[in-house]
Amino acid sequence: MLVDGFAAEAFGTNCYVVATGPGEQCVVVDPGIGVVDRLEELLAKHRLQPAAVLLTHGHLDHTFSVTPVCGARGIPAYVHPADREMLADPSKGLSQDYRQLFGGRLEYTEPDDVVAMIDGAVLDLVGLEIAVDHAPGHTGGSVLFRLPGTADEEICFSGDVLFAGSIGRTDLPGGSMDAMRTSLRTRVLPLADETIVLPGHGPATTIGRERATNPYLREFGQAPARGL
């Protein structure tokens, strides 16, 4: 499997591409602000053709380029229904400070083809099976994307739910620390230690490393068991 990406200059948001290999179709995860040119370079480097865009949540720094990326190729964008409204009106996810910063300068339209993802869905795209876990807290519609990696490791695109050493903020519209704690306890902690975490900002990490060192995970102690 091929996974590559880069950080946008604005807010350092990580944008990723995922494919079964070079020269294949791919999915794009979280095309943020000002990433179109760098994304095109990355696609050309690996000879990839995007077939869909996956959004970990609806915040502007993760979705800003979704419409040009989708529109140029006639491909769908996948988002959780709770964050759908932010594709049409990004200001709904912004703090008052950022609303004042951007003012009325945002001209924004959602992609023509938007697909709603539900919790527990498995997306069968470009030869990949991508599991969707609803993990609210940062926003009401935040999700994790999980898929098998090389060897025995699972890969988790965590968006702004989990970072190396920290978690996403919960004080923006739609955020909730109580919901975040539940998501960390029931969605993140049950994952295997070997799981590779590719977050929305900052460096990659693993669940084992975060379980041992991340203060927001350590407060829960032992992970809950899977199943009944």
Side-chain angles (χ1 to χ4, degrees):
M1 185 170 64
L2 185 158
V3 180
D4 202 352
F6 59 89
E9 291 186 12
F11 300 101
T13 307
N14 292 325
C15 176
Y16 301 99
V17 295
V18 191
T20 56
E24 303 290 344
Q25 289 186 306
C26 71
V27 295
V28 177
V29 180
D30 288 354
I33 298 173
V35 304
V36 171
D37 290 343
R38 291 185 66 187
L39 178 59
E40 292 292 346
E41 292 172 1
L42 188 62
L43 295 171
K45 172 185 174 182
H46 297 296
R47 298 175 286 110
L48 298 174
Q49 293 293 327
V53 173
L54 306 183
L55 302 173
T56 60
H57 63 289
H59 279 161
L60 184 67
D61 59 323
H62 292 252
T63 68
F64 188 84
S65 297
V66 63
T67 296
V69 171
C70 289
R73 299 168 176 87
I75 61 177
Y78 288 73
V79 68
H80 190 276
D83 280 9
R84 168 75 183 264
E85 65 179 3
M86 283 189 270
L87 294 189
D89 184 1
S91 68
K92 292 184 176 180
L94 299 178
S95 66
Q96 185 62 37
D97 290 345
Y98 279 123
R99 287 197 192 101
Q100 293 175 351
L101 174 65
F102 287 109
R105 293 175 293 167
L106 285 176
E107 295 183 6
Y108 208 80
T109 57
E110 67 179 19
D112 291 334
D113 187 0
V114 179
V115 180
M117 301 179 296
I118 61 172
D119 181 39
V122 178
L123 308 178
D124 187 1
L125 296 169
V126 302
L128 302 170
E129 290 188 350
I130 304 169
V132 179
D133 296 328
H134 186 208
H138 180 62
T139 67
S142 291
V143 301
L144 310 176
F145 294 119
R146 294 182 295 107
L147 63 162
T150 56
D152 294 326
E153 297 121 347
E154 188 172 62
I155 294 175
C156 175
F157 294 92
S158 64
D160 287 5
V161 176
L162 180 68
F163 305 136
S166 190
I167 60 171
R169 60 189 294 183
T170 60
D171 60 331
L172 296 174
S176 165
M177 180 53 82
D178 287 342
M180 177 67 87
R181 288 192 180 98
T182 298
S183 292
L184 295 175
R185 182 172 55 83
T186 64
R187 298 301 195 181
V188 172
L189 277 172
L191 300 177
D193 283 349
E194 296 78 17
T195 302
I196 298 168
V197 178
L198 300 179
H201 303 268
T205 184
T206 66
I207 291 295
R209 185 177 302 133
E210 297 311 301
R211 194 191 309 279
T213 63
N214 190 315
Y216 295 95
L217 295 186
R218 292 184 67 185
E219 73 173 90
F220 295 114
Q222 182 66 34
R226 289 179 181 266
L228 298 176

